[in-house]
Amino acid sequence: MDTCLSCGEQLDNKCEDNMIVDGFILTSGYRSGQDVTKPYKDPSVSTMGKCSHGGPRDESSSSVAALGGINKDSTLVSLSPHSHLHQVAAQAAIEHTSYFFDDEEYGIRGIIGTDKFNKLLQLKSRASLAFIIDYSGSMSDDIAGLKSVSRDIISSTIGTLEEPANFIFSLFNDPLSLNMIYTTADGNDALRYLDEIRVFGGGDCPEYAMTGLVNALAVCNYNSDLYFFTDASAKDAYFGVTVLSLAILKRVELEFVLTGDCARRKRSTEGGDNRNRRYRRSTDGEDLYRRLATATGGSVYVTSKAGIAKVAEIIKESVKTSSVTIIKTSLPASDENVTFPVDQTIRQATVKIIALDRTTPVYKLYTPDNTEATSNVTVSDLGDGILLVKVEVCTFFLQFLRYQVTTRRNTLCPHCGYIKRLDQ
């Protein structure tokens, strides 16, 4: 039976009323070059026939009746004879795709179950979530806060698409024989193991920190999240090269949370000429951690024991599978601009600002038209010179004003990243 009326041979002719509607009939358009040829009807004799796809790449739409076409692929009349129906068709396609996947009775998810559905479409993270923890005696004041942070992070992922493929605990201490590693794919088992961690040992300050990192990197999956907690420098700093090589190979960002300086506390009680210890602390401690973080795209958070729990907010953001780092940079303590692009696929941008001297950064946020952004902006001051600035959809650039660093290197470390996309 005929399904269309001819609507002219010109590509810019809109075919709004060319369908022959007779009851509930479904039809599609023939297109030249496919394995099924449109039944021939002489267009000089007949104005009715089968529908064509239409458009400049479909010869059947201009040589076989019915002329014209019915495709809705674009909003341009020259490409789509039914361009006026493009938005309606696109919305219908979205709704039926959702039905195909998500309908409780007839959708794929409803038929095979959520767990298999997530595996089929690889929706769940295949990364590891690793905690490298100093459990030596000097961490006795930190361990409760550290456990609380880790517990919150693990709990927030269990049963969600953010849940990692496995959880890794790499514990380090001194002597080296006390280092241990534990891996589990069960979030509740990870919580149990975390609760059982107790501090002991570690008679001197430097610990086998790099070995703890190497152990975790050796067993973690690619693109994993590794979080390192200590108050000590590395006794095995020579393993830093191995750590860096493994992290780059597995595309892992190293995040360091430093809760103090046990070397400094020890110096204050021992007295004497401690210049050599200071050098080791600089070389094997915070500076080493910063070099590894910078080289892998990670960060170093130097916080007080009381402030360690606040760092959890940053870590929770970073473990989300929908997060993407757009830009990272370091700036001198002066008036500087940082511009970062945001497109329509991004729901929210989180700007992380870290000041090395641990004082609160001063900043201003501007929209593309150079007006200061005040609405749809949420600021969280986590203390110790760490700010999280969350921005709802738009393109901004960040400007630092009147910020004076009085200690350490005159450098700010603003990190723009952790982007939530619309497809989250």
Side-chain angles (χ1 to χ4, degrees):
M1 62 177 290
D2 294 331
T3 53
C4 271
L5 297 170
S6 290
C7 57
E9 300 182 29
Q10 301 299 318
L11 290 178
D12 58 354
N13 282 357
K14 187 181 294 185
C15 297
E16 293 191 1
D17 300 310
N18 62 330
M19 298 289 296
I20 299 175
V21 180
D22 185 11
F24 296 97
I25 297 175
L26 293 177
T27 188
S28 59
Y30 288 89
R31 183 172 181 172
S32 58
Q34 295 184 333
D35 58 344
V36 179
T37 303
K38 179 179 177 180
Y40 181 76
K41 270 195 172 184
D42 187 345
S44 65
V45 176
S46 177
T47 60
M48 295 189 299
K50 294 294 186 180
C51 298
S52 287
H53 179 80
R57 297 180 179 85
D58 179 17
E59 294 180 4
S60 74
S61 66
S62 58
S63 59
V64 180
L67 300 178
I70 61 173
N71 93 68
K72 308 163 185 64
D73 295 348
S74 75
T75 57
L76 300 176
V77 176
S78 60
L79 298 177
S80 303
H82 278 192
S83 59
H84 61 291
L85 295 174
H86 172 74
Q87 298 297 341
V88 175
Q91 185 58 41
I94 292 172
E95 292 175 1
H96 282 275
T97 301
S98 177
Y99 176 86
F100 176 76
F101 284 118
D102 273 341
D103 184 77
E104 293 183 1
E105 185 174 359
Y106 298 108
I108 293 179
R109 188 197 299 270
I111 294 172
I112 68 175
T114 297
D115 188 55
K116 290 182 179 178
F117 178 82
N118 291 341
K119 291 179 180 178
L120 174 67
L121 298 182
Q122 298 183 1
L123 296 179
K124 290 191 66 173
S125 170
R126 298 309 303 161
S128 304
L129 178 56
F131 300 90
I132 299 89
I133 298 173
D134 177 356
Y135 76 117
S136 63
S138 65
M139 291 288 286
S140 58
D141 295 337
D142 306 70
I143 197 67
L146 187 156
K147 283 185 175 182
S148 177
V149 168
S150 303
R151 188 180 299 109
D152 287 347
I153 296 166
I154 295 170
S155 297
S156 69
T157 68
I158 295 176
T160 72
L161 293 180
E162 315 295 343
E163 187 171 4
N166 56 19
F167 300 87
I168 298 171
F169 294 92
S170 178
L171 308 185
F172 64 92
N173 205 318
D174 182 18
L176 186 60
S177 59
L178 294 178
N179 284 25
M180 62 184 73
I181 192 160
Y182 184 80
T183 303
T184 178
D186 187 330
N188 291 316
D189 185 46
L191 292 174
R192 177 199 59 76
Y193 183 83
L194 176 67
D195 288 338
E196 293 177 355
I197 295 175
R198 300 290 184 269
V199 298
F200 70 96
D204 57 350
C205 175
E207 313 296 350
Y208 286 96
M210 295 298 102
T211 302
L213 277 167
V214 169
N215 290 341
L217 286 164
V219 299
C220 75
N221 295 339
Y222 283 75
N223 301 301
S224 293
D225 300 302
L226 270 66
Y227 298 96
F228 176 96
F229 300 87
T230 191
D231 69 345
S233 54
K235 198 168 191 175
D236 51 355
Y238 47 83
F239 269 141
V241 175
T242 304
V243 169
L244 182 57
S245 298
L246 284 171
I248 292 175
L249 174 66
K250 291 194 169 182
R251 299 188 293 275
V252 170
E253 294 184 4
L254 300 177
E255 304 285 339
F256 295 88
V257 180
L258 309 182
T259 60
D261 184 348
C262 68
R264 187 175 295 117
R265 292 197 302 271
K266 187 172 181 180
R267 287 196 301 270
S268 67
T269 59
E270 290 181 349
D273 184 355
N274 296 295
R275 285 175 294 181
N276 290 336
R277 281 201 203 96
R278 290 191 181 96
Y279 176 78
R280 286 200 304 273
R281 174 58 179 171
S282 174
T283 303
D284 303 340
E286 189 173 325
D287 284 355
L288 172 61
Y289 302 143
R290 289 195 183 280
R291 289 197 301 273
L292 292 173
T294 300
T296 61
S299 302
V300 175
Y301 308 99
V302 181
T303 184
S304 64
K305 297 181 183 300
I308 185 174
K310 295 182 179 180
V311 178
E313 186 172 346
I314 298 177
I315 298 176
K316 284 179 184 178
E317 291 282 342
S318 65
V319 298
K320 294 182 178 179
T321 56
S322 56
S323 299
V324 177
T325 300
I326 291 179
I327 186 174
K328 285 194 172 190
T329 186
S330 297
L331 297 175
S334 59
D335 292 0
E336 296 282 348
N337 293 338
V338 176
T339 302
F340 58 95
V342 180
D343 62 23
Q344 70 273 14
T345 67
I346 293 173
R347 177 185 300 171
Q348 183 186 79
T350 299
V351 183
K352 179 175 62 178
I353 310 169
I354 305 174
L356 291 187
D357 73 341
R358 299 169 66 181
T359 60
T360 303
V362 177
Y363 74 95
K364 284 190 177 181
L365 193 64
Y366 290 90
T367 63
D369 61 3
N370 206 33
T371 59
E372 186 174 356
T374 55
S375 60
N376 298 321
V377 177
T378 304
V379 181
S380 298
D381 187 349
L382 304 183
D384 295 305
I386 304 172
L387 286 183
L388 285 186
V389 184
K390 295 186 179 182
V391 188
E392 300 304 320
V393 178
C394 202
T395 303
F396 298 90
F397 68 88
L398 195 65
Q399 185 178 42
F400 295 89
L401 299 175
R402 301 182 304 279
Y403 189 73
Q404 300 297 320
V405 177
T406 57
T407 62
R408 292 199 150 169
R409 292 169 291 182
N410 293 326
T411 305
L412 292 177
C413 301
H415 301 307
C416 310
Y418 307 138
I419 303 305
K420 298 178 181 176
R421 296 185 177 277
L422 287 172
D423 57 1
Q424 181 180 2

